[in-house]
Amino acid sequence: MRTYWGILLSCILLSGCGAETLNAIELRPLSSYRVEQDPEIPLMKQTQEKLLTYCERRPTDVLPERRAKVAEVTFHHPLYEVLGSKTVKYFAAGDERYVTCANSNELMERTFAVEPIQAFEALEQERFQESKVVSTIEFERIDDLESITSTFTLNETHEEVMPDSAFRYTTPDTGAIYVTFETIRNGRTLDPIIEPKLFPFQSGENEGYIFLTRRADDRLTLQIGEASSLKQLILPNIYEAPYMKVDPKEELSLKGNHRELMKRIILSDRPIEGDVAEETSLSLSKTYGTVLEIWGHVRRPVTNKMSTRPAERETRLAVFESDQDIIWLDGPKTQELFDALSHIQPHEKPSTAIKIGDLHLYEELTEQSFDVWKTETELYLVDQHTSQSYELPGNDYFQVIQP
């Protein structure tokens, strides 16, 4: 009797006997890429596969401060640009060799100590000249605001660069600028209003710009990056004001071990007079109303961690191919299909089923393919890699016609 009740209780806890479901989604690294590389370095397929294999490991290393970047190769998704790319760099540091990898959806590069790769070792010695890099970001003030307007093709009727807000920066090592915001109003510091923001940069000598713009509706926008990849953060309505002033801070450096104040913005209902550089934010807020402080902190990669963007940024795509047509599922339909496949019944495909096409799933730089079979009333999927078969609930995903 105890055995019977034990089995019954187990069935209840497992949400029902005989109701087995599986997660059919086992996305795997892409089998092929579109490769972008230095024409002087014709990489054989075997070398490309070796680089990609390194990138699938868990990172355990960091780049030495003294090193040389020898080569770089980028692997793009072969079909759909929106699904991203993977950039791999090869470094030399004395007798040691390193590879860094960064998917386009990742915040920071991952580093691996590797054996020498002959295709790179055979390059000219100039590429192996080492230099020392540090975890400091240097900011140089720009007074020629017209150059910013021109570089970023801003429409001055709708958006103007604020005086004293523009800097050119260099980032000589891998990592990110972690930007936080503090609001002081009427003599007291408010609870956080703007979410912290992480602006990543890659290894090597990168240049970019950071500046503030004021829009025609008085909204403030923090802008950071290069002309080809400018990132914008529009500040909430609480920071709208008819009078604004940025303190005239000169060059500054962000070190890797603590945060520093990058900029202060004074916002007021009346004109802001005189030099504000020597006054505290608390004092200024009592006089004018609101002061926004923008703080920066250099973040370095951490070993054993994969720093990826939030899940909602992932790009998913489902494509159905038949002899008659190719169908791309729209956004909600794709999500519905992924949800169904994550909790699906395993089921042997009936002998009466007819193959009607192939289903390809993509998420970032991974893929998975199924054979799609159909009876009069049901759809069945067979994983092309594992041969596992499933019954797919609902049969309107692909809008196919029975052959």
Side-chain angles (χ1 to χ4, degrees), residues 8-16:
L8 181 60
L9 179 61
S10 298
C11 286
I12 294 172
L13 293 175
L14 294 173
S15 300

Side-chain angles (χ1 to χ4, degrees), residues 41-56:
I41 316 172
L43 292 182
M44 297 175 62
K45 189 72 174 176
Q46 183 179 5
T47 305
Q48 294 179 20
E49 291 175 354
K50 181 185 291 187
L51 291 174
L52 291 168
T53 299
Y54 283 135
C55 292
E56 295 305 321

Side-chain angles (χ1 to χ4, degrees), residues 214-271:
R214 179 178 182 175
R215 303 196 173 194
D217 58 3
D218 286 338
R219 287 186 300 169
L220 274 176
T221 303
L222 173 66
Q223 315 215 33
I224 182 170
E226 305 171 62
S228 59
S229 58
L230 187 66
K231 298 178 177 64
Q232 298 181 334
L233 177 62
I234 300 176
L235 304 188
N237 293 345
I238 189 176
Y239 302 105
E240 296 176 9
Y243 298 97
M244 301 181 189
K245 187 170 186 177
V246 181
D247 64 357
K249 193 167 188 176
E250 298 296 328
E251 290 80 5
L252 70 145
S253 297
L254 289 185
K255 299 179 176 60
N257 54 0
H258 65 281
R259 71 173 194 157
E260 294 187 32
L261 180 62
M262 294 197 297
K263 275 293 164 190
R264 292 188 309 173
I265 310 167
I266 299 94
L267 305 105
S268 178
D269 292 330
R270 61 189 180 87

